[in-house]
Amino acid sequence: MNMRLTQAPIDTLCANALRFLAIDAVEAARSGHPGMPMGMAEIAVALWTRHLKHDPTNPGWADRDRFVLSNGHGSMLLYALLHLSGYELPLDELERFRQLDSRTPGHPEVGHTPGVETTTGPLGQGLTNAVGMALAEKLLAAEFNRPGHPIVDHRTWVFLGDGCLMEGVSHEAASFAGVQRLSKLICFWDDNRISIDGDVAGWFADDTAARFRAYGWNVIEAVDGHDVEAVDRAIREAQANADNDIGPTLICCRTTIGRGSPGRAGSADVHGAPLGAEEIAATRAALGWPHARFEIPDEIRSAFDARARGAEQRAQWQARFEAYAQGFPEAAEEFRRRMAGELPVGFGILSNAILRGVAKEAATVASRKASQQAIGRLARALPELLGGSADLTHSNLTDWPACGAVRADQPGRHINWGVREFGMAAALNGIALHGGFIPFGATFLVFSDYARNAIRMSALMKQRVAYVMTHDSIGLGEDGPTHQPVEHIPSLRLIPGLDLWRPCDAVETQAAWNAAVMRRDGPTLLALSRQNLPHQQREADQVQAIARGGYVLAEAPPDAGGPALVIIATGSEVALAMAAHDTLAAEGVAVHVVSMPCTSVFDRQDAAYRQRVLPPGVPRLVIEAAQPHGWWRYLAGGRGDVVGIDRFGESAPAAALLERFGFTPQAVVERARALLATTGTGA
């Protein structure tokens, strides 16, 4: 039974409520991280009960503040805050922490728990997501706000720990945030000096305050993280910094991990393990907490409950937005559309018309150049298209006419990310999560390794992000094996939910871009060539079939009774397949050529379509200038072969490399003849 509390200040009681919800949930699960929630409880009370702008009854309200728990292992702190604030997260879900099908997974997951803004756990990426969110807020405000009508005006708050700051991606993100002067980004550093291995003094001795000042941040030092009033004063100072647009703010909060635990506070023992019944009893006694497991008094619930306050804040914003809509109806409707993630009315028809126009142009260009042209076409129709490159703009070809560069004092649509591939990718996730933009970012395909975990997070969170990865094979030439991707394409195809397109010409490149912007349930990666690729002639139905991921580009003669061989190829190797087709056809061998720019999209097609494209029982030869193992599943009962690369490349002109590695028409024809001889088919 709940009881009224009078023996301690309400802020102290609220902080202890957060502590014991975390303690009890971790103990019930026999798994989890109680130390951080216990250490950051007062910081959470100061922010969530006094400053955070949010409406628990409408978690998707466009102008809410964004809160990111970058140190996501402390997820029970966030779940406790969401529950007590009034989100649709009942107490029994906290009791089921880390259990199958609960809404309280081990690390916060966006789309799974109401009020969670991003999936965190891989340290440093939450902070970097928040940088993307803050950038999105700033750019949307510049685009949509009008004098007297600030419809975009919110802050991005981040909790982060020592682990986030040790991860290299935090350097990339913080440096970028400083140079872009993302003043509405406010971060709280949980300076408890403990990580899993113990006291961090032996491996983390940075002068963090000096480091962030060097990035261009405002730094508020020596804040007692267990004093709600001290934290409140720091927040007000940070808000003043934001109002004066003088850069992001880091609030350095000195804390004790596991505060309140007599036997474990201040040690690594409390970081990632339950306290146990004996230590929990001792902690209850030490903090004067007389309540049963998961019991929260009404007085504390009232102090946290943000429903009335949030509804009032949202109503005030709604009134401002309605006044805005009266004065600027077109802009208001555009804002609604973009925040809903919807494409313009008629975009599907327009995108098909664009694709048909590219097919008529019949251009022979590198697919990276075709991508630049596609971006320019789509950018005219999609003002939400926002992107750039990790310091390779003129190699990746990601700018377009009149795009405008994003600078601290200048809005634009093209972002120079600097040499920050990981930071770029993780920030793109934040932009997508914020809403209002379709973001894309580019680098060389070989450097996808730097960005890979953030690409994985795009897929895990099902975010509409496009990755433009150029120089996709040994065909890039003289830069050599350090820059020639071999294993990258098949390894990226292994990421569930990522659609990887490797187009063979300008038409397929436009189709891939159309698919990327129209897809709403996950990311897309375009693997693009440095070298020119010849245009492939198609009928209208073949142009439309590109969207199905794989299709028959060249058919065996109608009187052949079906193909004796199917050649499957992607990207630059489709031209080899077509050349081999012509040679073999002259020899009387009936060959289908299948262009398969996206295996995952093709795999989602119905069985009847897939069998029409890949007739059962017919030998198959696959050609791709990459590690070949992923292709064996497409071969008909072992009746097939793969022309691929199972070693690193060399430094030489592209033509010499392609000949060395067997990517010439004659070499492909010889492999085809050998396959046909082995299977007993052919002319």
Side-chain angles (χ1 to χ4, degrees), residues 409-494:
D409 56 355
Q410 170 187 297
R413 296 174 66 186
H414 185 270
I415 306 171
N416 298 102
W417 290 101
V419 188
R420 303 183 180 103
E421 296 90 353
F422 192 3
M424 172 185 70
L428 293 174
N429 287 335
I431 294 170
L433 287 159
H434 181 278
F437 293 103
I438 299 175
F440 69 89
T443 186
F444 290 163
L445 180 58
V446 76
F447 299 144
S448 64
D449 285 338
Y450 287 138
R452 186 184 180 90
N453 199 266
I455 297 172
R456 178 180 186 268
M457 295 302 295
S458 301
L460 183 64
M461 295 189 288
K462 300 182 179 180
Q463 292 303 298
R464 179 164 51 186
V465 178
Y467 295 98
V468 179
M469 301 287 178
T470 69
H471 296 60
D472 68 342
S473 74
I474 59 171
L476 68 88
E478 293 88 345
D479 278 338
T482 60
H483 283 54
Q484 292 166 4
V486 174
E487 75 279 21
H488 298 74
I489 289 173
S491 68
L492 288 163
R493 286 188 180 126
L494 293 175

Side-chain angles (χ1 to χ4, degrees), residues 27-367:
E27 186 68 18
R30 303 301 303 162
S31 171
H33 299 76
M36 184 280 263
M38 296 171 71
M40 294 195 78
E42 282 85 4
I43 304 170
V45 169
L47 176 61
W48 279 69
T49 67
R50 301 188 183 189
H51 298 280
L52 190 69
K53 183 176 70 171
H54 64 127
D55 181 2
T57 66
N58 191 330
W61 167 35
D63 202 42
R64 69 192 182 279
D65 285 353
R66 271 57 169 181
F67 175 79
V68 175
L69 191 76
S70 189
N71 42 358
H73 55 271
S75 58
M76 261 312 305
L77 177 61
L78 179 53
Y79 299 147
L81 288 164
L82 294 171
H83 167 71
L84 293 171
S85 296
Y87 285 82
E88 190 180 340
L89 190 67
L91 187 62
D92 61 359
E93 291 292 348
L94 275 63
E95 295 173 348
R96 298 176 60 233
F97 178 54
R98 288 189 163 217
Q99 303 309 298
L100 186 64
D101 297 328
S102 78
R103 301 178 79 181
T104 50
H107 291 82
E109 297 179 21
V110 68
H112 186 78
T113 309
V116 171
E117 299 284 1
T118 180
T119 300
T120 54
L123 293 177
Q125 287 197 61
L127 166 61
T128 315
N129 295 163
V131 169
M133 294 175 185
L135 179 63
E137 191 275 345
K138 182 173 182 175
L139 294 176
L140 280 174
E143 183 175 355
F144 284 100
N145 287 354
R146 302 291 186 271
H149 296 277
I151 63 165
V152 181
D153 185 15
H154 53 267
R155 308 187 195 285
T156 302
W157 308 87
V158 185
F159 281 9
L160 57 89
D162 292 328
C164 293
L165 295 179
M166 283 186 260
E167 288 286 359
V169 72
S170 74
H171 297 256
E172 298 181 26
S175 175
F176 181 81
V179 76
Q180 289 292 339
R181 207 167 64 239
L182 300 181
S183 298
K184 291 184 179 178
L185 175 65
I186 302 173
C187 301
F188 300 83
W189 170 31
D190 180 27
D191 180 16
N192 62 35
R193 304 182 189 180
I194 293 292
S195 66
I196 292 175
D197 280 354
D199 190 320
V200 301
W203 50 87
F204 182 53
D206 300 10
D207 185 339
T208 297
R211 167 187 157 191
F212 273 76
R213 285 195 180 97
Y215 292 144
W217 287 52
N218 308 291
V219 179
I220 303 172
E221 291 188 76
V223 176
D224 182 351
H226 301 303
D227 182 340
V228 172
E229 295 301 329
V231 176
D232 179 77
R233 289 192 295 272
I235 291 173
R236 294 181 188 279
E237 181 180 343
Q239 289 174 322
N241 291 336
D243 292 340
N244 292 322
D245 192 25
I246 55 174
T249 297
L250 178 70
I251 303 175
C252 305
C253 298
R254 192 70 179 92
T255 64
T256 300
I257 190 171
R259 180 177 171 85
S261 170
R264 299 192 185 181
S267 74
D269 294 338
V270 76
H271 171 84
L275 295 183
E278 183 177 341
E279 187 64 20
I280 291 174
T283 305
R284 274 181 155 79
L287 294 177
W289 188 258
H291 310 291
R293 295 169 63 252
F294 294 106
E295 182 181 347
I296 303 297
D298 291 337
E299 184 177 5
I300 293 174
R301 290 189 177 278
S302 296
F304 273 109
D305 193 340
R307 288 173 292 186
R309 183 176 70 251
E312 181 181 359
Q313 290 173 323
R314 182 168 58 86
Q316 291 172 352
W317 178 84
Q318 189 64 42
R320 293 198 304 272
F321 186 78
E322 289 172 1
Y324 176 87
Q326 289 183 356
F328 312 97
E330 292 183 2
E333 183 55 36
E334 180 72 358
F335 181 78
R336 288 192 193 99
R337 175 188 74 78
R338 285 173 53 174
M339 292 306 294
E342 299 170 353
L343 296 176
V345 174
F347 179 79
I349 296 173
L350 174 62
S351 64
N352 281 331
I354 291 173
L355 184 60
R356 291 194 299 270
V358 175
K360 289 181 180 178
E361 290 176 5
T364 292
V365 294
S367 53

Side-chain angles (χ1 to χ4, degrees), residues 599-612:
T599 59
S600 56
V601 171
F602 178 76
D603 291 345
R604 294 197 291 267
Q605 305 305 307
D606 61 84
Y609 177 78
R610 286 185 278 114
Q611 288 185 4
R612 286 200 302 273

Side-chain angles (χ1 to χ4, degrees), residues 372-651:
Q372 183 183 43
Q373 294 167 345
I375 292 169
R377 298 182 192 104
L378 293 174
R380 291 192 290 272
L382 299 174
E384 60 264 48
L385 195 62
L386 171 71
S389 174
D391 202 50
L392 290 167
T393 297
H394 301 296
S395 292
N396 300 146
L397 304 181
T398 53
D399 55 353
W400 65 96
C403 58
V406 174
R407 297 290 184 265
D409 56 355
Q410 170 187 297
R413 296 174 66 186
H414 185 270
I415 306 171
N416 298 102
W417 290 101
V419 188
R420 303 183 180 103
E421 296 90 353
F422 192 3
M424 172 185 70
L428 293 174
N429 287 335
I431 294 170
L433 287 159
H434 181 278
F437 293 103
I438 299 175
F440 69 89
T443 186
F444 290 163
L445 180 58
V446 76
F447 299 144
S448 64
D449 285 338
Y450 287 138
R452 186 184 180 90
N453 199 266
I455 297 172
R456 178 180 186 268
M457 295 302 295
S458 301
L460 183 64
M461 295 189 288
K462 300 182 179 180
Q463 292 303 298
R464 179 164 51 186
V465 178
Y467 295 98
V468 179
M469 301 287 178
T470 69
H471 296 60
D472 68 342
S473 74
I474 59 171
L476 68 88
E478 293 88 345
D479 278 338
T482 60
H483 283 54
Q484 292 166 4
V486 174
E487 75 279 21
H488 298 74
I489 289 173
S491 68
L492 288 163
R493 286 188 180 126
L494 293 175
I495 297 177
L498 174 66
D499 283 349
L500 186 150
W501 289 80
R502 189 165 181 251
C504 76
D505 66 359
V507 182
E508 287 191 358
T509 304
Q510 182 68 57
W513 262 110
N514 289 357
V517 299
M518 295 178 74
R519 186 183 185 205
R520 297 189 62 174
D521 62 351
T524 300
L525 188 148
L526 288 79
L528 306 172
S529 74
R530 179 190 187 187
Q531 70 271 32
N532 285 345
L533 304 180
H535 170 73
Q536 301 298 333
Q537 193 64 42
R538 301 172 182 84
E539 300 296 332
D541 60 337
Q542 291 173 305
V543 173
Q544 293 302 308
I546 298 171
R548 305 189 75 166
Y551 63 101
V552 178
L553 179 61
E555 294 192 27
D559 58 356
L565 175 68
V566 174
I567 301 179
I568 307 168
T570 76
S572 50
E573 288 73 69
V574 170
L576 292 178
M578 293 297 289
H581 167 276
D582 294 345
T583 298
L584 293 168
E587 297 174 1
V589 180
V591 178
H592 270 1
V593 172
V594 171
S595 178
M596 195 177 291
C598 187
T599 59
S600 56
V601 171
F602 178 76
D603 291 345
R604 294 197 291 267
Q605 305 305 307
D606 61 84
Y609 177 78
R610 286 185 278 114
Q611 288 185 4
R612 286 200 302 273
V613 174
L614 300 176
V618 179
R620 299 168 189 171
L621 178 67
V622 179
I623 318 169
E624 186 172 65
Q627 213 284 342
H629 285 178
W631 283 107
W632 291 100
R633 64 195 177 97
Y634 288 99
L635 303 187
R639 290 159 54 85
D641 191 12
V642 182
V643 180
I645 301 177
D646 58 5
R647 50 156 289 192
F648 294 117
E650 303 282 354
S651 180

